[in-house]
Amino acid sequence: MPKVPLVWRVPNAPATFVGRREELRAVARAHRRGPVVVLCGAGGLGKTALASAAVRELFADRAARAVMVGARAGEPFRQAMADVLRALGHAPLRSDADDLTSVAIDLAEARRAIVVIDDVHHALAEATEALVTIARYARRAVWIATSRVAPEHDELAGQIVRLEPLGQKHLAKLARIVDPKMRATDATRIAREAAGSPWRARKLASDRSEARVGQAGKSLLATLSVAQRPISSGALAKSIGADPGRAVKDLVQRGLVEEIAGGYRLHEEARTTMSALERPEAERARAIAALASGGDADALEALRLALEGDDDRDAIAICASSFDAMLRAGHASALWKMLGAREDPAWNSFKLRAAMQLADVKITTLLDEPPERALRDRLLWIRALSVESKAPAAAAAAERLHAAAKKAGDETVAFWAALERAMASRVYEGPERGLALLDAAKPNDGPTRALASALSAFWHAEVGRVDDAIRTLERSALGRVPQEDALADEILGGPLDFFVRYYRMAAFMECGHLDRAHDELTAGRATLDVDDQLRASYVQLDGIANLSIARGKLDEAARILERLLRSPPAGGSTYHTIARLLDIERRLAAGGLGDVARDLDDLFTSTRIENPLVFAWCHDSRERLHLAAAVREEPPLDLDGAPLGAVARSVLALRRALRRARWGEPHELPDALDVEGRIVRALVLATDALVAGRDATDDARAAVDLAEAHGWGVRECEARLLLAEAHLTSGDSRRALSEARAVGRKAQTMASPRFEGEAQALAALVDDPPIDAAALEALAIADDVSPCAARRARAILGDDAQLDAADRRVIDAARAHAAVDVVRVRPATPHRRGWGLDLRRRAGWLPDGRRVSFARHALLARVLEVLARHDGVATFEQLSEEVWQRRTFHPLHDGNRIRVTLHRLRALVEDDPQAPTRVVLAASAYELGGEPFTLVCPVSNS
């Protein structure tokens, strides 16, 4: 554990801390119930002092690892969580990043730290959400929060310790600790006047002992009373022009000032008392000057004070010297709140930079185009238009900026303007226009040439020009790309070297070379610095998630996407929308298809107008959902009226061609295909052969080999399933079983219940003895996991199922191989889970999945067989004749025999034999109950 910086350490409990022993025991009991403890009570009751005492007394072995931060009025709770990360030794993370809480939990868990968060009532709703998350996932760390208002949530109900007013006995003792010469009667009077508040008792005792505030103390109080953040001792020293040590110590002893993480602050109960204190403008100016020269947090407070006093000159000077540092420290949200309503053009550049840091679409719509001479600000504004998917406006503005930059001789801005024009034109005029404009852009150094080359390769690959993309990638093999470029960092939203690597990775992925794509991404920065901009973080994680899905690493993709989707950015963003779509892609590969269609419809609605390219990808996902969840002979979705941009339509046309299956002739597929395209073409040819009754094994094997060689995990599962089907339909059940088991193993490593279910369904059809009806019974209800497996299982069991041509060939081959009769009693639509008997295995199964052996109960098995063959109802006479071969039924002897046998049968198959539901008596007959029943027996026995 790195040494905790002084500003984040938990201060010692005050020397005047008395009483509260029962509350300390309550804290210990709450901690035994969970990792989060919330101390609640009115102001002045000593919540912070109790938290400090708890750290020192209850967790003394870990006190050195304890950190303390404070939530501040007017700021989101995310800022407090950002402070927790800093306190735990993590590099600064943006306060509006999405994974602050999870990162804080992980760090605290790794270090078994104690984290105290003071005054969470300032942002109670957000704080409650974060505390609930901590309570769910923390195990080793201790989290203590203080609040005037108790958080309302069931998961925190047992973790709240309420502070009641302190008793007069303890308050009198406290008063005499402050003034040892005080008489007992005076201490008692102060205890009554304090009304249960330790803070008030301490202040009254201090006032009575004539310990007045000196001039230095008044100056400190004046500074602290206008500040909302803790002020560092260095800034306080500058504000009074002397060492504040003695004055601060006295104010802390009196209870007027609290020593807390980040410095010193006025006690909230003292704020009302200090409100009448005069604050001359000269003193305010000294405080602003002292804070402005401090760190990023002090500078932010100085800016607030200057703006509060309408001192624009000082405020602009603070921004000019410290704005970048404040942005890097994650204060973009607070800066936007301060500056967003400012109308003076002098603020436009700062407003634009804060807005772009936030990547908030709603904020960027509030920005006007910067003045003509502000070339770099205009460039950022054009990027904002692109983030809003306003491609035509962005292209026109970029063309104007390119001309202005050329005229001014600024080649750097001219290049970036040309690049923005190419990116925007590509979206609505088509890939040809975008590539032409990209080629016309003139990079002015090695890094920008590398970026243009990477983009060119990606755009070529995206529209199917695989050879051109590969040539471009290999011709521009990378050396070292400089990591720092301030303009590129602002425009792209992150480091230039990362984006060069990212677009090269995306190009390799579009070409189907997943191994090279992975190597490309990890060759540079595998991850971004934690203080990089939000847009870069989204792009990075989206790209890695997309690559993980294709490689079949679905658990890894799920973890990444969960971070992105847990807390959507205010106002939304294109990157968050892409993350939602990628999560749908992951679920398509993993299963859970029941909810995917609904979420895809929601995404359709939100992207129809706002983002044509993502809207096209939604169409692409919907067609693959159709292939996965429905039958394969349905027509493709109609896109004629879809509002797609030119590049989106060309990308979609290529991808649709690769999945024609029964929608078109395989020879219509393009010749110049990427690796994935070649895999899909082999799958299409194999599917066509399978449906037409030809041998599909060669094409299916080619698809398997290609997918395995290039790391396409999802495609490999699809290809192996098709190969297993090809072996089954050609009569080679042994190889079919081997491939099905290989898919099952692969699906387990991928965490894909969908492919695991399909592999289990195929194995159940061919494993010896073939057609395992008990396994198929479980799969038949798994519509949300593997619709293909479910509909095939239902068809085998005799329930209604809509099959395509491939399904029918596979099922016919399985039935021919198994040579069994399947008798279904009480079929249900939709399918309901039932029970049954397999005479070959001499075993049955129940609806809850339990297996029942009939190896020693041949007579009972014969009774079930007779019931099934009589459509679930058999009279006493029929049972006597067909089970015991008695041609003449004797009501007494045969009836008793039947009743005894049925009693034994019920003991075997009923949940409660005294209240049977599966084998019931009806008049002079026995019948199977309402649950579906399946009998499987060799054809020779039928």
Side-chain angles (χ1 to χ4, degrees):
M1 173 68 180
K3 186 177 181 181
V4 176
L6 185 65
V7 295
W8 305 121
R9 294 182 199 174
V10 177
N12 295 323
T16 54
F17 184 74
V18 296
R20 301 300 187 200
R21 290 294 145 189
E22 180 55 39
E23 286 83 352
L24 277 172
R25 286 190 285 272
V27 171
R29 288 194 297 270
H31 172 253
R32 286 194 291 271
R33 289 191 293 266
V36 175
V37 181
V38 184
L39 309 181
C40 294
L45 290 186
K47 298 182 293 296
T48 304
L50 177 61
S52 300
V55 169
R56 304 294 178 188
E57 296 192 28
L58 300 180
F59 311 107
D61 59 325
R62 290 192 270 173
R65 295 193 291 273
V67 300
M68 185 173 187
V69 304
R72 294 180 283 271
E75 288 192 0
F77 189 70
R78 305 162 65 81
Q79 184 63 55
M81 295 307 295
D83 290 343
V84 170
L85 293 181
R86 289 177 169 185
L88 291 172
H90 200 283
L93 194 68
R94 287 173 48 84
S95 60
D96 53 357
D98 285 316
D99 54 354
L100 288 173
T101 301
S102 63
V103 175
I105 291 173
D106 291 343
L107 283 174
E109 289 292 291
R111 297 166 186 177
R112 296 186 71 246
I114 302 173
V115 181
V116 180
I117 309 178
D118 210 14
D119 295 335
V120 301
H121 54 267
H122 287 314
L124 190 61
E126 295 175 69
T128 300
E129 183 179 347
L131 291 173
V132 168
T133 302
I134 294 166
R136 286 176 183 169
Y137 298 108
R139 294 291 180 271
R140 293 153 46 90
V142 179
W143 295 75
I144 301 175
T146 71
S147 176
R148 291 189 179 185
V149 181
E152 295 184 4
H153 197 284
D154 292 344
E155 294 190 44
L156 298 176
Q159 307 304 112
I160 295 175
V161 176
R162 300 182 186 275
L163 271 70
E164 301 297 334
L166 200 62
Q168 289 191 11
K169 174 184 175 181
H170 291 303
L171 291 173
K173 181 179 180 180
L174 174 60
R176 298 190 73 176
I177 291 174
V178 174
D179 183 2
K181 297 181 179 180
M182 184 180 296
R183 292 182 301 177
T185 54
D186 292 334
T188 302
R189 181 177 56 78
I190 286 176
R192 284 197 303 269
E193 293 178 5
S197 169
W199 176 83
R200 188 172 297 277
R202 187 167 50 179
K203 182 177 182 302
L204 289 171
S206 180
D207 289 344
R208 187 185 179 285
S209 64
E210 298 182 354
R212 302 295 181 223
V213 178
Q215 186 58 44
K218 289 181 180 179
S219 181
L220 287 174
L221 288 174
T223 300
L224 293 171
S225 65
V226 297
Q228 294 180 354
R229 293 170 169 270
I231 302 302
S232 66
S233 58
L236 287 176
K238 291 177 183 176
S239 71
I240 64 174
D243 182 3
R246 182 184 295 275
V248 167
K249 184 177 180 181
D250 177 58
L251 294 174
V252 170
Q253 177 70 19
R254 289 167 53 82
L256 298 175
V257 172
E258 290 180 297
E259 182 184 2
I260 198 170
Y264 298 91
R265 69 176 182 186
L266 194 66
H267 194 292
E268 291 195 29
E269 288 301 303
R271 201 169 283 278
T272 304
T273 306
M274 297 297 112
S275 61
L277 197 66
E278 291 186 9
R279 302 185 192 93
E281 289 304 313
E283 194 166 66
R284 174 189 287 273
R286 283 198 300 272
I288 291 174
L291 292 168
S293 61
D296 55 84
D298 285 346
L300 187 68
E301 187 64 14
L303 176 61
R304 188 191 66 78
L305 289 172
L307 293 173
E308 189 180 80
D310 293 325
D311 186 355
D312 278 13
R313 183 177 60 81
D314 277 351
I316 289 176
I318 292 168
C319 286
S321 62
S322 304
F323 200 80
D324 288 340
M326 289 188 284
L327 282 180
R328 284 195 300 271
H331 298 304
S333 180
L335 288 167
W336 175 258
K337 287 182 178 179
M338 292 182 192
L339 306 180
R342 298 275 158 176
E343 297 181 357
D344 190 322
W347 292 109
N348 286 352
S349 178
F350 298 117
K351 288 164 61 177
L352 180 62
R353 289 158 66 189
M356 290 302 295
Q357 180 87 345
L358 291 173
D360 188 329
V361 173
K362 289 183 178 178
I363 287 180
T364 53
T365 58
L366 303 175
L367 301 173
D368 297 325
E369 183 172 4
E372 186 174 343
R373 292 188 300 275
L375 299 181
R376 299 199 171 201
D377 286 350
R378 286 171 67 188
L379 191 58
L380 290 180
W381 182 74
I382 292 167
R383 182 94 287 268
L385 292 178
S386 297
V387 170
E388 297 169 45
S389 299
K390 296 181 178 177
E399 189 165 359
R400 294 194 301 271
L401 177 60
H402 181 262
K406 295 292 285 185
K407 183 177 179 180
D410 193 331
E411 294 298 328
T412 300
V413 171
F415 164 74
W416 286 105
L419 187 62
E420 288 292 336
R421 182 177 59 176
M423 296 177 76
S425 298
R426 166 180 167 270
V427 172
Y428 82 102
E429 291 185 278
E432 297 293 343
R433 177 65 173 160
L435 285 166
L437 290 172
L438 181 63
D439 291 340
K442 299 189 182 307
N444 56 338
D445 56 21
T448 51
R449 275 193 295 275
L451 177 65
S453 177
L455 270 173
S456 177
F458 176 46
W459 292 0
H460 276 105
E462 197 174 36
V463 296
R465 298 177 187 172
V466 179
D467 293 341
D468 290 339
I470 293 294
R471 278 196 297 270
T472 302
L473 288 166
E474 291 178 347
R475 188 170 56 241
S476 58
L478 285 180
R480 181 179 179 277
V481 180
Q483 296 185 0
E484 302 300 330
D485 186 319
L487 181 59
D489 189 85
E490 283 193 296
I491 296 169
L492 297 173
L496 177 61
D497 71 312
F498 167 76
F499 276 90
V500 172
R501 294 285 183 185
Y502 171 79
Y503 284 118
R504 287 177 62 86
M505 179 276 293
F508 276 122
M509 186 173 174
E510 285 292 330
C511 292
H513 296 282
L514 300 188
D515 47 355
R516 296 182 71 177
H518 181 261
D519 292 344
E520 193 68 42
L521 190 61
T522 55
R525 299 192 195 187
T527 57
L528 292 173
D529 294 339
V530 289
D531 61 348
D532 282 323
Q533 297 188 11
L534 180 61
R535 297 192 311 282
S537 300
Y538 264 90
V539 169
Q540 172 214 15
L541 293 175
D542 279 343
I544 295 174
N546 195 12
L547 184 59
S548 298
I549 292 168
R551 298 173 70 204
K553 297 182 178 297
L554 303 182
D555 272 351
E556 177 182 289
R559 287 192 297 271
I560 294 169
L561 292 168
E562 194 270 338
R563 290 173 58 192
L564 292 174
L565 296 171
R566 185 186 303 120
S567 304
S573 76
T574 298
Y575 312 104
H576 187 264
T577 302
I578 292 173
R580 289 174 59 196
L581 181 58
L582 283 174
D583 192 54
I584 288 173
E585 295 284 328
R586 177 192 64 81
R587 288 149 63 194
L588 274 173
L593 305 182
D595 295 331
V596 167
R598 183 198 63 224
D599 294 344
L600 196 51
D601 286 342
D602 292 343
L603 204 56
F604 250 61
T605 302
S606 63
T607 59
R608 181 178 294 275
I609 303 301
E610 297 175 3
N611 199 316
L613 189 57
V614 178
F615 184 66
W617 292 338
C618 287
H619 271 292
D620 185 64
S621 298
R622 177 173 280 190
E623 292 199 355
R624 277 182 291 105
L625 172 62
H626 177 81
L627 283 173
V631 296
R632 283 171 283 194
E633 289 183 321
E634 291 292 321
L637 300 169
D638 180 18
L639 297 180
D640 291 340
L644 303 177
V647 67
R649 195 175 294 280
S650 64
V651 170
L652 191 58
L654 176 67
R655 294 185 179 183
R656 289 185 63 181
L658 297 179
R659 286 191 310 280
R660 286 185 180 275
R662 296 298 294 161
W663 302 342
E665 295 300 323
H667 64 262
E668 295 178 5
L669 296 176
D671 291 327
L673 296 175
D674 56 32
V675 171
E676 186 184 16
R678 299 204 305 275
I679 297 170
V680 175
R681 179 163 59 186
L683 290 173
V684 168
L685 292 169
T687 302
D688 185 72
L690 181 71
V691 171
R694 303 190 304 271
D695 184 3
T697 53
D698 288 344
D699 289 317
R701 171 55 66 186
V704 170
D705 292 343
L706 272 169
E708 192 173 25
H710 291 88
W712 283 86
V714 174
R715 293 300 190 194
E716 182 185 342
C717 282
E718 293 174 347
R720 286 193 182 279
L721 285 170
L722 191 52
L723 181 57
E725 294 172 353
H727 283 312
L728 175 58
T729 55
S730 64
D732 193 342
S733 59
R734 183 179 59 81
R735 290 188 178 180
L737 178 61
S738 175
E739 290 297 336
R741 287 175 173 168
V743 174
R745 291 191 296 271
K746 180 71 174 177
Q748 285 183 344
T749 65
M750 286 171 48
S752 174
R754 169 192 162 189
F755 287 118
E756 192 172 358
E758 294 205 28
Q760 288 171 356
L762 276 172
L765 293 180
V766 298
D767 200 1
D768 191 39
I771 300 190
D772 183 351
L776 293 171
E777 184 78 70
L779 290 168
I781 61 171
D783 302 77
D784 60 333
V785 174
S786 175
C788 176
R791 64 177 179 258
R792 290 179 179 181
R794 292 197 297 271
I796 288 287
L797 293 173
D799 287 2
D800 289 338
Q802 184 184 9
L803 303 177
D804 62 18
D807 288 334
R808 283 192 289 272
R809 280 220 65 201
V810 170
I811 289 172
D812 290 345
R815 283 173 173 158
H817 170 64
V820 295
D821 251 353
V822 178
V823 179
R824 186 74 162 171
V825 181
R826 309 279 192 272
T829 302
H831 181 87
R832 275 194 305 118
R833 193 160 183 170
W835 62 298
L837 172 66
D838 190 334
L839 291 177
R840 301 166 306 166
R841 290 179 168 84
R842 293 191 292 176
W845 68 93
L846 300 179
D848 60 5
R850 285 180 295 156
R851 302 282 180 127
V852 178
S853 174
F854 282 83
R856 297 182 180 181
H857 305 289
L859 186 66
L860 305 185
R862 179 61 182 161
V863 171
L864 285 179
E865 181 183 4
V866 170
L867 286 170
R869 293 194 181 281
H870 285 279
D871 199 25
V873 181
T875 65
F876 288 178
E877 289 82 355
Q878 289 170 326
L879 288 171
S880 179
E881 180 180 351
E882 298 184 34
V883 176
W884 286 276
Q885 286 80 45
R886 292 184 61 84
R887 296 191 176 277
T888 303
F889 175 72
H890 190 285
L892 180 60
H893 299 295
D894 295 336
N896 285 336
R897 180 185 294 115
I898 292 171
R899 280 189 287 273
V900 170
T901 302
L902 267 294
H903 179 75
R904 292 170 56 206
L905 177 60
R906 285 169 172 170
L908 199 62
V909 301
E910 296 285 0
D911 295 331
D912 181 2
Q914 302 304 315
T917 59
R918 298 192 176 109
V919 183
V920 296
L921 178 63
S924 61
Y926 280 99
E927 65 179 65
L928 297 173
E931 293 170 327
F933 178 84
T934 304
L935 175 69
V936 182
C937 56
V939 172
S940 59
N941 285 9
S942 59

